[in-house]
Amino acid sequence: MSVQQLKPDNPLVPFIIFFAFVILLTIMITNMRSNQAAQPQTQTKAVPQDPALSLSGRGLSSALHPMPKAPLKSLSAADVNHLLSEAGDDLEDGHFKDAEDKLRTALVFEPRNPRILSQLGMMMLQANRAPEAELFLRKLLEVQPDDSTAMTNLAEAFALQRKYSDSMICIEKALAQNPDSGQPYIILARIQAQTGSKSAALESLRRAY
């Protein structure tokens, strides 16, 4: 084709330009598809779950908080009482961890049960886990504010944490509720001895007995 034939007034020029554009576009699309095909495909493979991290496995979670063999959707009052009875048996046999697990399970279904809260509070005190004892005993006193034994135990939990002012308040309340109780005076005597008031501690011990 001559130069004369490609002049702008030649009617074939638009068709030639359009045809060249189509060829160029086809080449670009082909190259893009080739590049995509050449890139490695990232496949998501199922990662096996470590049983030590499974909430329902026998690893770390079950060691800290043993799960029941079957999920418990609800517990009747009779079921809760059965758990409490088994927890009592565990305590008598010295199986404190098993007893704690049963009591905590029962507490999930009856969070305001004073018997459960009282037993857990006492267990935490005996295990020298005063902050946890404080939480359970506070909750118990929300349910039973006139429980002088719970108030005394809360005074003990505060004293173990060296929260002496809080402990003194609980001691005063416990004695107001039950003036004949000796245990508040024993806690008071220990606080007084630890803070250097030995003569006052001796007087508190005398009043305890």
Side-chain angles (χ1 to χ4, degrees):
M1 183 177 297
S2 66
V3 177
Q4 180 68 25
Q5 290 175 320
L6 292 178
K7 287 182 179 181
D9 56 353
N10 192 320
L12 294 179
V13 170
F15 295 101
I16 294 172
I17 294 174
F18 176 77
F19 184 69
F21 175 78
V22 171
I23 293 175
L24 178 61
L25 183 61
T26 301
I27 293 172
M28 291 174 63
I29 293 174
T30 302
N31 289 338
M32 289 175 61
R33 289 180 177 176
S34 299
N35 291 336
Q36 290 177 355
Q39 292 177 356
Q41 295 291 329
T42 303
Q43 297 181 354
T44 303
K45 296 182 179 180
V47 178
Q49 187 178 15
D50 185 351
L53 302 178
S54 172
L55 291 178
S56 60
R58 296 184 179 180
L60 178 62
S61 177
S62 60
L64 295 175
H65 300 287
M67 301 295 290
K69 293 181 180 179
L72 296 176
K73 295 183 179 180
S74 63
L75 284 181
S76 66
D79 292 329
V80 171
N81 288 333
H82 182 67
L83 272 178
L84 293 178
S85 177
E86 288 188 342
D89 293 338
D90 288 334
L91 285 174
E92 289 181 2
D93 295 337
H95 302 151
F96 299 107
K97 186 64 175 66
D98 293 336
E100 181 183 349
D101 290 338
K102 289 182 174 68
L103 289 171
R104 286 182 181 273
T105 299
L107 189 65
V108 170
F109 298 97
E110 293 190 9
R112 293 176 63 83
N113 186 309
R115 182 181 171 190
I116 302 172
L117 292 168
S118 178
Q119 288 188 348
L120 281 170
M122 284 299 300
M123 285 183 62
M124 298 304 105
L125 277 180
Q126 292 170 359
N128 201 28
R129 292 157 63 180
E132 293 175 84
E134 177 188 339
L135 293 176
F136 289 121
L137 293 167
R138 281 181 179 274
K139 189 66 176 179
L140 175 58
L141 286 167
E142 290 178 9
V143 179
Q144 295 182 166
D146 297 329
D147 189 336
S148 62
T149 300
M151 190 66 70
T152 301
N153 289 335
L154 182 57
E156 176 74 11
F158 282 135
L160 290 173
Q161 299 175 80
R162 298 183 179 274
K163 298 179 179 180
Y164 295 139
S165 59
D166 292 330
S167 183
M168 294 286 288
I169 292 172
C170 291
I171 289 171
E172 291 178 3
K173 290 181 178 180
L175 289 173
Q177 293 167 342
N178 185 6
D180 297 329
S181 176
Q183 186 61 30
Y185 286 110
I186 294 174
I187 300 171
L188 177 60
R190 188 169 71 248
I191 293 174
Q192 291 167 333
Q194 290 173 344
T195 55
S197 302
K198 294 182 180 180
S199 59
L202 290 173
E203 177 60 22
S204 294
L205 283 176
R206 186 189 65 78
R207 298 181 68 178
Y209 299 103

